[in-house]
């Protein structure tokens, strides 16, 4: 958890001049971490790793879940409860994490 807090603090500093919601709400990151791992590396082999993924790809997939174009019950629920700005911030956050 300390690592995630440090990463969010660093993102806050980097995005100081950016528009509001340049980083995801901490609760959104925590919600994602439940399945995808705090470091973006999922512990379950059925769940994809998000760390180091292409930012545009992550954004597009979340938007597809949000609209129902990509079918997954849990991800549709999660994406529908996020704003487009939060989805963009999550995509940037996970893309910035080191892949394994």
């Amino acid at each position: 958890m300390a690592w995630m807090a440090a990463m969010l603090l660093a993102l806050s500093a980097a995005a100081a001049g950016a528009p509001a919601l340049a980083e995801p709400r901490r609760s959104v990151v925590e919600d994602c971490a439940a399945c995808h791992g705090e470091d973006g590396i999922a512990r379950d082999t059925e769940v994809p790793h998000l760390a180091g993924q292409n930012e545009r790809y992550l954004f597009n997939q979340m938007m597809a879940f949000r609209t129902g174009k990509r079918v997954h019950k849990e991800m549709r629920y999660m994406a529908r409860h996020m704003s487009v700005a939060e989805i963009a911030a999550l995509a940037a956050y996970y893309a910035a994490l080191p892949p394994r």
Side-chain angles (χ1 to χ4, degrees):
M1 263 327 207
W3 180 87
M4 187 187 314
M7 178 58 81
L8 288 175
L9 184 60
L11 282 172
S12 295
L21 279 178
E23 69 176 70
R25 290 178 290 132
R26 181 169 171 85
S27 62
V28 174
V29 173
E30 288 174 340
D31 289 344
C32 297
C35 295
H36 296 282
E38 286 184 21
D39 56 357
I41 305 298
R43 305 306 181 245
D44 185 331
T45 58
E46 297 294 317
V47 178
H49 299 320
L50 300 181
Q53 286 280 0
N54 179 279
E55 182 177 345
R56 179 48 104 188
Y57 172 78
L58 290 172
F59 178 81
N60 287 340
Q61 295 311 304
M62 286 297 293
M63 292 304 292
F65 286 128
R66 187 173 195 240
T67 63
K69 287 183 180 178
R70 183 167 178 188
V71 180
H72 189 279
K73 183 181 174 184
E74 290 82 6
M75 289 303 303
R76 176 145 169 84
Y77 174 83
M78 298 298 289
R80 285 179 44 195
H81 289 89
M82 293 180 206
S83 69
V84 173
E86 287 174 321
I87 290 172
L90 274 172
Y93 172 77
Y94 282 112
L97 294 177
R100 280 196 215 158

